[in-house]
Amino acid sequence: MFGKRAGVLLAAALLASVLGACGDDDSGGGGSSGGGGRLVIGFAQVGAESGWRTANTKSIQDSAKAAGVELKFSDAQGKQENQIKAIRSFITQRVDVIAFSPVVESGWDTVLKEAKDAEIPVILTDRAIDSPDDSLYETFIGSDFVLEGQKAGEWLTQEYQGKTDPVNIVELQGTPGAAPANDRKAGFAEVIKKDPKFKVIASQTGQFTRTDGKQVMETFLQSHDDIDVLYAHNDDMGLGAIEAIEAAGKVPGKDIKIITVDAVKDGMTALSEGKINFIVECSPLLGPQLMDLAQKVADGQSVEKRVLTKETTFTPEQAKEVLPERKY
Ligand code: GYE
């Protein structure tokens, strides 16, 4: 059965796989790593909007280097259209694995279908998409943003336990349509709605940036003189808001209590100084796990559809303790 023709075909296949392993032209559909070549990952990053994002980019770049992975990195500058372009270019270049952190949740089906048709596996990192078709990606690694919002709400419930006066809350939301903005809002709302004394009197996007956080907090302060609490979806917006609060002659952390999410170094410093009262941690250090997952999917191994990041929360005392060793 195993005739001359089959023998020739086998030899040709072997030769092709050896050549494939040496060159960077991976025409085999995401399989060069399987042949022993260097794994090529195309990564489409959101941008550089926050301290979290900068730490996340560094983690991915450093761990790619450490794992001997060739990383094609693209910065979308906060625009979905740029991320879609980058993904299309990764498909054309026939990278082994595409990874990206979707700037918003919706609108990915078409481009991800193109990746699927090209047989290039996709990994979602950090943020989810809202497509019902979960065959469009292999796995999603990142935090549980709803849980983060709930943790913020639970701290507030504890803080005002036994009190009956109304508590006026202003909220700085992340980028509109982004998973962490939607989910942090929802998780927080779900917990505080159990007690009618908590009222969100204003809620607006601060785009996850310090500049917008400051500007929007200024407008909140102009239209409300009775703000008790600020809930910011990330440290950077909280830090911007602190500047606005101080400029308005109020004391952040005392006159207005502040809760943020991320726990990057600048946020943790403000927490240790009592300017922020509570931070829910969201780890940006996804690089090592991403490299591991990318290698596995490129090798055709099965991986968990959802990989959760381990996280905690911090009070000012805890921030003081961990700050000296904080890497980001
Ligand atoms: O919290 C924020 C960043 O997607 C978890 O994006 C990330 C969020 C992070 O800009 O600071």
Side-chain angles (χ1 to χ4, degrees), residues 54-208:
T54 310
N56 178 245
T57 293
K58 188 171 183 308
S59 169
I60 289 161
Q61 287 172 335
D62 289 354
S63 33
K65 209 178 235 171
V69 165
E70 183 185 337
L71 184 71
K72 293 180 189 290
F73 184 88
S74 146
D75 175 340
Q77 302 188 322
K79 293 206 175 78
Q80 180 173 35
E81 66 207 70
N82 290 346
Q83 272 193 321
I84 291 175
K85 263 189 220 150
I87 294 169
R88 291 214 164 106
S89 138
F90 295 149
I91 295 172
T92 312
Q93 294 174 65
R94 299 215 52 82
V95 300
D96 296 310
V97 177
I98 292 172
F100 79 115
S101 175
V103 60
V104 289
E105 283 190 275
S106 52
W108 298 103
D109 288 54
T110 308
V111 71
L112 293 188
K113 182 94 197 352
E114 288 166 23
K116 190 177 171 187
D117 290 345
E119 292 176 31
I120 300 179
V122 170
I123 298 178
L124 303 179
T125 81
D126 157 35
R127 296 182 179 182
I129 59 170
D130 65 3
S131 173
D133 181 2
D134 73 359
S135 77
L136 294 177
Y137 58 92
E138 301 298 315
T139 178
F140 163 36
I141 172 179
S143 311
D144 181 338
F145 301 134
V146 175
L147 183 65
E148 290 172 352
Q150 290 168 342
K151 287 179 185 172
E154 273 150 20
W155 179 83
L156 200 61
T157 310
Q158 276 301 113
E159 186 69 9
Y160 286 90
Q161 208 175 28
K163 301 198 173 129
T164 48
D165 286 348
V167 179
N168 291 332
I169 304 164
V170 294
E171 179 179 30
L172 284 169
Q173 299 177 33
T175 311
N182 294 341
D183 295 354
R184 286 173 185 166
K185 185 176 198 308
F188 182 74
E190 185 195 312
V191 173
I192 62 160
K193 78 164 186 234
K194 291 180 195 146
D195 187 336
K197 73 172 177 263
F198 294 117
K199 290 194 179 65
V200 179
I201 56 169
S203 179
Q204 220 173 289
T205 181
Q207 302 288 357
F208 277 134

Side-chain angles (χ1 to χ4, degrees), residues 22 39 72 74 97 102 160 187 208 212 249 254 290 293 297 321:
C22 299
L39 181 71
K72 293 180 189 290
S74 146
V97 177
Y160 286 90
F208 277 134
D212 285 48
K254 293 214 167 62
L290 174 61
L293 287 167
V297 300
E321 258 171 55

Side-chain angles (χ1 to χ4, degrees), residues 255-277:
D255 296 335
I256 297 179
K257 295 201 170 137
I258 303 178
I259 312 167
T260 64
V261 186
D262 274 356
V264 294
K265 218 169 208 161
D266 288 355
M268 292 289 272
T269 305
L271 178 65
S272 73
E273 293 165 356
K275 294 186 177 189
I276 295 179
N277 303 78

Side-chain angles (χ1 to χ4, degrees), residues 43-56:
F43 187 83
Q45 182 59 291
V46 171
E49 73 282 4
S50 64
W52 190 99
R53 191 63 56 198
T54 310
N56 178 245

